[in-house]
Amino acid sequence: MAKKENKYEGYGLATQAIHTGTDYDEGTGAVRRPLHMANSFKLPDDLSQVNYSSTDLLMYSRNGNPNQHWLEEKVAALHGAGDAIVLASGVAALHALFWTLLKTGDRVVYPKVSYMAVYRLFHELFNRKFGVETVMVDMTDLDEVRKAITPGTRLVHIETPDNPTNGVTDIEAVVKIAHENGALVSVDNTFASPYNQKPLQLGADFAVEALTKFINGHGDAQGGAILSNDLETMDRIRYEAQVNVGSVISPFNAWQIFRGSVTFPLRMQRINESTQKIAEWLESRENVTFVSYPGLPSNPGHDLAKRQMKNGYGGVISFGVNTDDKTVERFCAALKVVTFAVSLGHDESLIFPQPSYDERIDLYPEKFRKGFIRFSVGLEDPEDIIADLDQALKSVGL
Ligand SMILES: *Cc1c(COP(=O)(O)O)cnc(C)c1O
Protein backbone atom coordinates (compact mmCIF):
# COMPACT_ATOMS: atom_id res chain seq x y z
CA MET A 1 0.00 0.00 0.00
CA ALA A 2 1.10 3.56 -0.57
CA LYS A 3 1.90 5.93 2.30
CA LYS A 4 -1.29 6.69 4.24
CA GLU A 5 -2.92 9.91 3.13
CA ASN A 6 -3.23 12.52 5.92
CA LYS A 7 -4.96 15.65 4.72
CA TYR A 8 -4.49 17.20 8.17
CA GLU A 9 -0.73 16.72 8.48
CA GLY A 10 0.77 19.66 10.37
CA TYR A 11 -2.38 20.36 12.37
CA GLY A 12 -2.54 19.70 16.13
CA LEU A 13 -3.24 16.20 17.42
CA ALA A 14 -6.81 16.96 18.52
CA THR A 15 -7.66 18.32 15.05
CA GLN A 16 -6.14 15.27 13.40
CA ALA A 17 -7.93 12.88 15.79
CA ILE A 18 -11.24 14.48 14.78
CA HIS A 19 -10.75 14.92 11.04
CA THR A 20 -8.25 12.36 9.68
CA GLY A 21 -9.93 9.35 8.09
CA THR A 22 -13.32 11.04 8.48
CA ASP A 23 -15.31 11.96 5.39
CA TYR A 24 -18.83 12.42 4.09
CA ASP A 25 -20.59 9.29 2.90
CA GLU A 26 -20.78 9.68 -0.85
CA GLY A 27 -24.15 8.03 -1.33
CA THR A 28 -26.10 9.91 1.32
CA GLY A 29 -24.05 12.93 2.36
CA ALA A 30 -24.07 11.60 5.93
CA VAL A 31 -21.36 13.33 7.98
CA ARG A 32 -20.08 9.93 9.20
CA ARG A 33 -18.72 7.12 7.10
CA PRO A 34 -20.86 3.96 7.30
CA LEU A 35 -20.23 0.64 9.02
CA HIS A 36 -19.70 -1.94 6.28
CA MET A 37 -20.64 -5.32 7.73
CA ALA A 38 -19.80 -7.37 4.65
CA ASN A 39 -17.25 -10.13 4.29
CA SER A 40 -17.18 -10.03 0.50
CA PHE A 41 -17.17 -7.31 -2.16
CA LYS A 42 -18.36 -7.24 -5.75
CA LEU A 43 -15.54 -8.19 -8.09
CA PRO A 44 -14.66 -6.24 -11.24
CA ASP A 45 -16.09 -7.74 -14.45
CA ASP A 46 -12.58 -8.35 -15.75
CA LEU A 47 -10.96 -10.85 -13.34
CA SER A 48 -7.52 -10.36 -14.86
CA GLN A 49 -7.33 -7.24 -12.64
CA VAL A 50 -7.68 -9.27 -9.46
CA ASN A 51 -4.65 -10.07 -7.31
CA TYR A 52 -5.99 -12.54 -4.77
CA SER A 53 -3.21 -11.83 -2.25
CA SER A 54 -3.62 -8.08 -2.45
CA THR A 55 -4.83 -5.99 0.48
CA ASP A 56 -5.47 -2.95 -1.75
CA LEU A 57 -8.44 -4.30 -3.65
CA LEU A 58 -11.63 -4.71 -1.62
CA MET A 59 -12.47 -8.33 -2.30
CA TYR A 60 -12.80 -10.31 0.94
CA SER A 61 -12.78 -8.73 4.40
CA ARG A 62 -9.84 -10.80 5.71
CA ASN A 63 -7.73 -9.10 3.03
CA GLY A 64 -8.88 -5.67 4.19
CA ASN A 65 -12.15 -3.87 4.79
CA PRO A 66 -13.18 -0.20 4.57
CA ASN A 67 -13.67 0.37 8.32
CA GLN A 68 -10.23 -1.11 8.97
CA HIS A 69 -8.66 1.13 6.33
CA TRP A 70 -10.27 4.32 7.69
CA LEU A 71 -9.10 3.46 11.21
CA GLU A 72 -5.61 2.85 9.81
CA GLU A 73 -5.57 6.41 8.43
CA LYS A 74 -6.53 7.74 11.86
CA VAL A 75 -4.00 5.70 13.86
CA ALA A 76 -1.19 6.51 11.40
CA ALA A 77 -1.99 10.21 11.88
CA LEU A 78 -1.91 9.90 15.68
CA HIS A 79 1.64 8.52 15.40
CA GLY A 80 2.78 10.68 12.49
CA ALA A 81 3.54 7.33 10.78
CA GLY A 82 3.73 6.54 7.07
CA ASP A 83 1.57 3.45 7.45
CA ALA A 84 -0.56 1.58 9.98
CA ILE A 85 -1.99 -1.94 10.04
CA VAL A 86 -4.97 -2.48 12.30
CA LEU A 87 -5.64 -6.06 13.48
CA ALA A 88 -7.98 -7.94 15.83
CA SER A 89 -6.12 -7.24 19.10
CA GLY A 90 -2.93 -5.81 20.52
CA VAL A 91 -1.52 -9.31 20.78
CA ALA A 92 -2.50 -10.07 17.15
CA ALA A 93 -0.48 -6.98 16.15
CA LEU A 94 2.54 -8.08 18.21
CA HIS A 95 2.33 -11.61 16.82
CA ALA A 96 1.94 -10.40 13.23
CA LEU A 97 5.09 -8.30 13.56
CA PHE A 98 7.18 -11.07 15.18
CA TRP A 99 5.83 -13.76 12.82
CA THR A 100 6.77 -11.72 9.76
CA LEU A 101 10.20 -10.55 10.93
CA LEU A 102 11.60 -13.67 12.62
CA LYS A 103 12.70 -17.01 11.24
CA THR A 104 14.59 -20.04 12.55
CA GLY A 105 18.07 -19.12 13.79
CA ASP A 106 17.28 -15.44 14.29
CA ARG A 107 17.99 -13.77 17.63
CA VAL A 108 15.50 -11.53 19.38
CA VAL A 109 16.20 -9.50 22.53
CA TYR A 110 13.15 -8.76 24.68
CA PRO A 111 12.48 -7.27 28.12
CA LYS A 112 12.23 -9.07 31.45
CA VAL A 113 9.10 -7.09 32.23
CA SER A 114 6.58 -7.01 29.40
CA TYR A 115 2.99 -7.75 28.50
CA MET A 116 2.20 -11.37 29.40
CA ALA A 117 1.67 -12.52 25.79
CA VAL A 118 5.11 -11.22 24.76
CA TYR A 119 6.62 -13.28 27.56
CA ARG A 120 4.70 -16.37 26.37
CA LEU A 121 5.58 -15.85 22.69
CA PHE A 122 9.33 -15.54 23.37
CA HIS A 123 9.77 -17.58 26.55
CA GLU A 124 7.75 -20.61 25.39
CA LEU A 125 6.61 -20.51 21.75
CA PHE A 126 8.93 -18.88 19.19
CA ASN A 127 11.98 -20.53 20.78
CA ARG A 128 10.55 -24.06 21.15
CA LYS A 129 8.38 -24.22 18.04
CA PHE A 130 10.48 -22.29 15.52
CA GLY A 131 14.05 -22.33 16.86
CA VAL A 132 14.27 -18.57 17.35
CA GLU A 133 16.93 -17.58 19.88
CA THR A 134 15.10 -15.46 22.45
CA VAL A 135 17.18 -13.46 24.94
CA MET A 136 15.57 -11.78 27.94
CA VAL A 137 17.23 -8.66 29.43
CA ASP A 138 16.53 -5.86 31.85
CA MET A 139 15.79 -3.30 29.10
CA THR A 140 16.16 -0.40 31.57
CA ASP A 141 19.84 -1.35 32.08
CA LEU A 142 21.80 -0.22 29.01
CA ASP A 143 24.93 -2.18 29.97
CA GLU A 144 22.93 -5.39 29.96
CA VAL A 145 21.27 -4.38 26.67
CA ARG A 146 24.67 -3.68 25.07
CA LYS A 147 25.92 -7.15 25.99
CA ALA A 148 22.79 -8.90 24.68
CA ILE A 149 22.57 -7.18 21.29
CA THR A 150 25.22 -9.03 19.32
CA PRO A 151 25.84 -8.52 15.58
CA GLY A 152 23.27 -10.60 13.73
CA THR A 153 20.50 -9.87 16.23
CA ARG A 154 17.37 -9.50 14.11
CA LEU A 155 15.00 -7.68 16.46
CA VAL A 156 15.01 -5.81 19.76
CA HIS A 157 11.56 -5.45 21.31
CA ILE A 158 10.96 -2.71 23.90
CA GLU A 159 7.97 -1.92 26.06
CA THR A 160 8.00 1.49 27.77
CA PRO A 161 6.61 2.28 30.26
CA ASP A 162 6.32 -1.45 30.86
CA ASN A 163 3.28 -3.41 31.93
CA PRO A 164 2.90 -3.89 34.85
CA THR A 165 5.79 -2.17 36.71
CA ASN A 166 5.99 1.15 34.78
CA GLY A 167 9.75 0.74 34.18
CA VAL A 168 11.09 3.26 31.63
CA THR A 169 13.43 2.27 28.77
CA ASP A 170 15.54 4.76 26.80
CA ILE A 171 14.20 4.25 23.26
CA GLU A 172 16.83 6.38 21.49
CA ALA A 173 19.71 4.70 23.31
CA VAL A 174 18.47 1.16 22.58
CA VAL A 175 17.78 2.09 18.94
CA LYS A 176 21.37 3.32 18.60
CA ILE A 177 22.85 0.07 19.95
CA ALA A 178 20.45 -2.05 17.89
CA HIS A 179 21.04 -0.21 14.62
CA GLU A 180 24.84 -0.36 15.09
CA ASN A 181 24.40 -4.14 15.20
CA GLY A 182 22.01 -4.36 12.27
CA ALA A 183 18.93 -5.11 14.40
CA LEU A 184 15.43 -3.68 14.01
CA VAL A 185 13.56 -2.14 16.96
CA SER A 186 9.89 -2.44 17.86
CA VAL A 187 8.26 -0.56 20.74
CA ASP A 188 5.04 -1.50 22.52
CA ASN A 189 3.70 2.00 23.17
CA THR A 190 0.40 1.04 24.83
CA PHE A 191 1.09 2.48 28.32
CA ALA A 192 2.31 5.84 26.99
CA SER A 193 -0.07 6.14 24.00
CA PRO A 194 0.83 8.39 21.05
CA TYR A 195 -0.41 11.44 22.96
CA ASN A 196 2.67 11.14 25.18
CA GLN A 197 5.24 9.22 23.13
CA LYS A 198 5.92 8.57 19.45
CA PRO A 199 8.55 5.81 19.11
CA LEU A 200 9.05 6.24 15.34
CA GLN A 201 10.16 9.82 15.95
CA LEU A 202 12.71 8.46 18.46
CA GLY A 203 14.17 6.20 15.78
CA ALA A 204 12.25 2.96 16.32
CA ASP A 205 11.41 0.93 13.21
CA PHE A 206 7.99 -0.24 14.44
CA ALA A 207 5.53 0.82 17.11
CA VAL A 208 2.67 -1.31 18.40
CA GLU A 209 -0.49 -0.11 20.15
CA ALA A 210 -3.20 -2.10 21.89
CA LEU A 211 -6.09 -0.02 20.53
CA THR A 212 -8.22 -1.84 23.13
CA LYS A 213 -6.76 0.54 25.72
CA PHE A 214 -6.42 4.34 25.57
CA ILE A 215 -7.03 4.93 21.84
CA ASN A 216 -10.47 3.32 21.93
CA GLY A 217 -10.86 4.34 25.54
CA HIS A 218 -14.36 3.03 26.18
CA GLY A 219 -13.81 -0.59 27.19
CA ASP A 220 -16.07 -1.94 24.46
CA ALA A 221 -13.85 -3.17 21.63
CA GLN A 222 -10.60 -4.99 21.00
CA GLY A 223 -8.00 -4.06 18.42
CA GLY A 224 -4.29 -3.53 17.82
CA ALA A 225 -2.07 -1.59 15.44
CA ILE A 226 1.42 -1.76 13.95
CA LEU A 227 2.94 1.56 12.85
CA SER A 228 5.97 2.07 10.63
CA ASN A 229 7.53 4.12 7.85
CA ASP A 230 8.92 0.95 6.23
CA LEU A 231 6.14 0.53 3.67
CA GLU A 232 7.63 -2.57 2.09
CA THR A 233 7.79 -4.54 5.35
CA MET A 234 4.31 -3.34 6.26
CA ASP A 235 3.01 -4.89 3.05
CA ARG A 236 4.78 -8.13 3.93
CA ILE A 237 3.04 -8.10 7.33
CA ARG A 238 -0.33 -7.62 5.60
CA TYR A 239 0.36 -10.49 3.26
CA GLU A 240 2.04 -12.96 5.64
CA ALA A 241 0.17 -12.27 8.87
CA GLN A 242 -3.16 -10.64 8.03
CA VAL A 243 -4.20 -12.47 4.86
CA ASN A 244 -2.53 -15.80 5.59
CA VAL A 245 -2.88 -16.05 9.37
CA GLY A 246 -6.19 -14.24 9.51
CA SER A 247 -5.98 -11.89 12.48
CA VAL A 248 -8.23 -9.36 10.75
CA ILE A 249 -10.32 -6.93 12.81
CA SER A 250 -14.10 -7.03 12.61
CA PRO A 251 -15.49 -3.96 10.78
CA PHE A 252 -17.71 -3.34 13.80
CA ASN A 253 -14.77 -3.20 16.21
CA ALA A 254 -12.87 -0.96 13.80
CA TRP A 255 -15.89 1.34 13.64
CA GLN A 256 -16.14 1.48 17.45
CA ILE A 257 -12.43 2.18 17.89
CA PHE A 258 -12.59 4.85 15.17
CA ARG A 259 -15.39 6.52 17.13
CA GLY A 260 -13.53 6.26 20.45
CA SER A 261 -10.30 7.61 18.93
CA VAL A 262 -11.91 10.94 18.01
CA THR A 263 -11.75 12.10 21.65
CA PHE A 264 -8.45 10.34 22.40
CA PRO A 265 -6.25 13.47 22.84
CA LEU A 266 -8.82 15.16 25.07
CA ARG A 267 -9.21 12.05 27.24
CA MET A 268 -5.48 11.54 27.46
CA GLN A 269 -4.89 15.12 28.60
CA ARG A 270 -7.38 14.60 31.42
CA ILE A 271 -5.98 11.15 32.28
CA ASN A 272 -2.40 12.51 32.46
CA GLU A 273 -3.52 15.24 34.89
CA SER A 274 -5.65 12.99 37.10
CA THR A 275 -3.03 10.24 37.22
CA GLN A 276 -0.28 12.66 38.30
CA LYS A 277 -2.52 13.99 41.07
CA ILE A 278 -3.50 10.51 42.30
CA ALA A 279 0.10 9.21 42.15
CA GLU A 280 1.21 12.14 44.32
CA TRP A 281 -1.60 11.46 46.78
CA LEU A 282 -0.75 7.75 46.97
CA GLU A 283 2.91 8.58 47.59
CA SER A 284 1.91 10.67 50.62
CA ARG A 285 -0.43 7.99 52.01
CA GLU A 286 0.87 5.82 54.85
CA ASN A 287 0.81 2.03 54.31
CA VAL A 288 1.55 2.63 50.61
CA THR A 289 5.01 1.06 50.32
CA PHE A 290 5.95 2.39 46.87
CA VAL A 291 4.44 4.25 43.91
CA SER A 292 5.90 3.60 40.44
CA TYR A 293 4.77 6.31 38.01
CA PRO A 294 7.15 8.04 35.55
CA GLY A 295 5.68 11.46 36.47
CA LEU A 296 6.96 11.28 40.05
CA PRO A 297 10.40 12.85 40.66
CA SER A 298 11.09 9.89 43.01
CA ASN A 299 10.87 7.51 40.03
CA PRO A 300 14.26 6.28 38.73
CA GLY A 301 12.99 6.73 35.15
CA HIS A 302 11.65 10.26 35.71
CA ASP A 303 14.40 12.30 33.96
CA LEU A 304 14.42 9.95 31.01
CA ALA A 305 10.61 9.99 30.81
CA LYS A 306 10.72 13.82 30.85
CA ARG A 307 12.86 13.66 27.71
CA GLN A 308 10.98 11.02 25.71
CA MET A 309 7.38 11.51 26.90
CA LYS A 310 6.09 14.85 25.68
CA ASN A 311 2.72 15.71 27.21
CA GLY A 312 2.57 13.59 30.34
CA TYR A 313 3.23 10.17 31.77
CA GLY A 314 0.13 8.11 31.01
CA GLY A 315 -2.74 6.66 32.97
CA VAL A 316 -1.35 3.70 34.90
CA ILE A 317 0.05 3.71 38.44
CA SER A 318 1.87 0.68 39.85
CA PHE A 319 1.87 0.78 43.63
CA GLY A 320 2.31 -1.40 46.67
CA VAL A 321 0.56 -1.73 50.00
CA ASN A 322 1.99 -3.20 53.15
CA THR A 323 -0.17 -6.32 53.39
CA ASP A 324 -0.82 -9.86 52.11
CA ASP A 325 -2.55 -11.02 48.86
CA LYS A 326 -5.90 -11.71 50.55
CA THR A 327 -6.12 -8.20 52.06
CA VAL A 328 -5.18 -6.68 48.69
CA GLU A 329 -8.14 -8.52 47.17
CA ARG A 330 -10.44 -7.26 49.92
CA PHE A 331 -9.20 -3.70 49.28
CA CYS A 332 -9.93 -4.01 45.53
CA ALA A 333 -13.39 -5.44 46.25
CA ALA A 334 -14.18 -2.58 48.68
CA LEU A 335 -13.83 0.12 46.00
CA LYS A 336 -17.08 1.75 44.89
CA VAL A 337 -16.02 4.10 42.06
CA VAL A 338 -13.05 2.10 40.80
CA THR A 339 -13.88 -1.21 39.06
CA PHE A 340 -12.10 -4.43 40.10
CA ALA A 341 -11.19 -5.74 36.62
CA VAL A 342 -8.27 -6.37 34.27
CA SER A 343 -7.40 -4.10 31.32
CA LEU A 344 -6.58 -0.39 31.32
CA GLY A 345 -7.24 2.84 29.45
CA HIS A 346 -11.03 2.75 29.79
CA ASP A 347 -13.36 5.63 30.68
CA GLU A 348 -13.75 4.03 34.12
CA SER A 349 -10.88 3.44 36.54
CA LEU A 350 -9.77 -0.20 36.75
CA ILE A 351 -7.74 -1.94 39.44
CA PHE A 352 -6.03 -5.31 39.32
CA PRO A 353 -3.79 -6.96 41.96
CA GLN A 354 -0.52 -8.62 40.90
CA PRO A 355 -0.34 -11.40 43.48
CA SER A 356 2.89 -12.68 45.01
CA TYR A 357 2.22 -16.14 43.47
CA ASP A 358 2.33 -14.72 39.89
CA GLU A 359 4.72 -16.97 37.93
CA ARG A 360 6.78 -13.96 36.78
CA ILE A 361 7.05 -12.22 40.14
CA ASP A 362 10.80 -12.99 40.44
CA LEU A 363 11.43 -11.12 37.18
CA TYR A 364 10.10 -7.90 38.72
CA PRO A 365 12.30 -5.57 40.79
CA GLU A 366 12.30 -6.61 44.49
CA LYS A 367 9.79 -4.09 45.83
CA PHE A 368 7.07 -5.31 43.40
CA ARG A 369 6.95 -8.76 44.97
CA LYS A 370 4.59 -7.91 47.85
CA GLY A 371 1.22 -6.12 47.88
CA PHE A 372 1.62 -4.98 44.25
CA ILE A 373 -1.39 -3.43 42.48
CA ARG A 374 -1.84 -2.05 38.94
CA PHE A 375 -4.22 0.85 38.77
CA SER A 376 -5.57 2.40 35.54
CA VAL A 377 -6.94 5.88 36.14
CA GLY A 378 -10.18 6.72 34.33
CA LEU A 379 -12.12 9.86 33.54
CA GLU A 380 -14.03 10.16 36.82
CA ASP A 381 -13.45 13.22 39.02
CA PRO A 382 -10.00 12.67 40.53
CA GLU A 383 -11.26 13.77 43.97
CA ASP A 384 -13.81 10.95 43.88
CA ILE A 385 -11.13 8.42 42.91
CA ILE A 386 -8.87 9.56 45.76
CA ALA A 387 -11.74 9.44 48.29
CA ASP A 388 -12.63 5.95 47.06
CA LEU A 389 -9.05 4.66 47.39
CA ASP A 390 -8.87 6.19 50.86
CA GLN A 391 -12.11 4.63 52.12
CA ALA A 392 -11.21 1.21 50.70
CA LEU A 393 -7.71 1.30 52.24
CA LYS A 394 -9.22 2.25 55.61
CA SER A 395 -11.87 -0.46 55.32
CA VAL A 396 -9.13 -3.13 55.35
CA GLY A 397 -7.14 -1.41 58.11
CA LEU A 398 -4.56 0.31 55.88
C1 LIG B 1 -3.27 -4.87 26.68
C2 LIG B 1 -1.90 -4.82 26.20
C3 LIG B 1 -1.53 -5.54 25.05
C4 LIG B 1 -2.46 -6.48 24.32
O1 LIG B 1 -3.62 -5.91 23.83
P1 LIG B 1 -4.91 -6.85 23.55
O2 LIG B 1 -5.83 -5.99 22.78
O3 LIG B 1 -5.41 -7.22 24.92
O4 LIG B 1 -4.47 -8.04 22.81
C5 LIG B 1 -0.23 -5.43 24.61
N1 LIG B 1 0.67 -4.67 25.26
C6 LIG B 1 0.36 -3.98 26.37
C7 LIG B 1 1.40 -3.15 27.03
C8 LIG B 1 -0.93 -4.03 26.88
O5 LIG B 1 -1.22 -3.34 27.99
Side-chain angles (χ1 to χ4, degrees):
M1 255 182 207
K3 188 175 180 303
K4 282 272 176 292
E5 188 190 12
N6 180 1
K7 280 190 254 174
Y8 294 87
E9 200 167 341
Y11 285 83
L13 200 69
T15 306
Q16 293 193 54
I18 290 167
H19 289 289
T20 312
T22 310
D23 210 342
Y24 301 109
D25 176 42
E26 279 176 18
T28 62
V31 296
R32 297 283 126 166
R33 281 170 149 170
L35 166 61
H36 285 298
M37 290 303 292
N39 62 25
S40 189
F41 298 82
K42 191 187 168 306
L43 290 167
D45 293 344
D46 177 4
L47 282 182
S48 67
Q49 293 171 37
V50 175
N51 170 359
Y52 292 99
S53 300
S54 168
T55 52
D56 287 338
L57 177 75
L58 292 173
M59 175 180 66
Y60 189 57
S61 69
R62 174 158 41 76
N63 296 43
N65 61 75
N67 291 97
Q68 174 196 14
H69 292 164
W70 297 330
L71 179 57
E72 286 175 347
E73 283 176 40
K74 179 88 78 196
V75 181
L78 295 178
H79 267 267
D83 197 3
I85 302 171
V86 165
L87 296 169
S89 67
V91 168
L94 288 162
H95 174 269
L97 182 66
F98 302 154
W99 167 256
T100 306
L101 292 180
L102 299 170
K103 61 177 188 327
T104 303
D106 281 346
R107 179 182 172 93
V108 58
V109 177
Y110 71 106
K112 249 179 164 171
V113 185
S114 69
Y115 191 67
M116 187 51 141
V118 171
Y119 172 78
R120 291 260 180 267
L121 287 171
F122 290 144
H123 192 69
E124 292 170 13
L125 299 172
F126 270 78
N127 50 350
R128 291 185 198 157
K129 291 170 82 86
F130 305 127
V132 172
E133 187 190 358
T134 59
V135 181
M136 185 192 274
V137 295
D138 177 354
M139 207 58 84
T140 65
D141 178 345
L142 288 177
D143 288 332
E144 221 183 282
V145 171
R146 218 168 269 119
K147 278 186 211 128
I149 303 177
T150 49
T153 300
R154 173 72 174 148
L155 177 69
V156 181
H157 181 69
I158 299 175
E159 186 174 309
T160 183
D162 66 44
N163 187 353
T165 70
N166 254 319
V168 183
T169 288
D170 188 334
I171 298 175
E172 276 181 315
V174 176
V175 164
K176 187 164 180 293
I177 301 166
H179 285 180
E180 279 168 6
N181 288 281
L184 296 166
V185 177
S186 57
V187 179
D188 186 331
N189 200 55
T190 302
F191 260 39
S193 89
Y195 186 73
N196 294 322
Q197 181 173 281
K198 294 186 169 70
L200 301 184
Q201 290 175 9
L202 297 166
D205 302 286
F206 302 94
V208 175
E209 293 284 350
L211 302 174
T212 313
K213 312 290 173 58
F214 295 101
I215 292 178
N216 177 48
H218 293 75
D220 55 7
Q222 193 133 36
I226 307 166
L227 296 304
S228 182
N229 295 316
D230 177 350
L231 305 185
E232 210 172 300
T233 304
M234 291 293 269
D235 275 345
R236 264 187 59 213
I237 297 170
R238 284 191 172 88
Y239 174 68
E240 292 187 22
Q242 180 184 314
V243 177
N244 292 314
V245 178
S247 51
V248 72
I249 191 167
S250 149
F252 183 57
N253 284 354
W255 180 88
Q256 276 182 305
I257 296 169
F258 188 98
R259 186 168 197 241
S261 71
V262 168
T263 54
F264 158 70
L266 186 64
R267 286 185 283 102
M268 213 56 219
Q269 182 184 4
R270 161 77 171 216
I271 283 174
N272 280 342
E273 283 168 17
S274 295
T275 311
Q276 183 71 32
K277 210 178 281 180
I278 294 163
E280 285 169 13
W281 177 81
L282 275 170
E283 200 167 42
S284 71
R285 178 75 166 66
E286 58 178 336
N287 291 319
V288 171
T289 47
F290 67 89
V291 181
S292 177
Y293 181 62
L296 294 174
S298 63
N299 193 292
H302 180 63
D303 288 337
L304 167 59
K306 241 160 98 178
R307 267 190 282 129
Q308 75 182 10
M309 300 179 79
K310 294 301 177 201
N311 292 317
Y313 304 97
V316 183
I317 301 170
S318 312
F319 71 101
V321 284
N322 190 20
T323 192
D324 55 275
D325 290 335
K326 199 65 219 161
T327 310
V328 169
E329 273 177 41
R330 281 175 44 230
F331 156 68
C332 292
L335 291 158
K336 294 177 179 142
V337 174
V338 177
T339 304
F340 185 6
V342 297
S343 199
L344 49 107
H346 293 190
D347 41 19
E348 65 188 309
S349 295
L350 301 171
I351 203 156
F352 180 55
Q354 311 279 316
S356 59
Y357 52 80
D358 185 299
E359 70 172 280
R360 295 191 302 165
I361 205 82
D362 290 340
L363 297 175
Y364 301 161
E366 181 83 37
K367 68 182 178 192
F368 293 87
R369 296 177 198 170
K370 184 176 178 243
F372 172 25
I373 300 167
R374 188 188 71 193
F375 179 41
S376 168
V377 175
L379 296 167
E380 302 95 338
D381 295 284
E383 298 73 23
D384 289 335
I385 299 172
I386 288 174
D388 194 31
L389 292 170
D390 195 45
Q391 70 77 20
L393 284 169
K394 284 181 180 141
S395 80
V396 297
L398 289 169

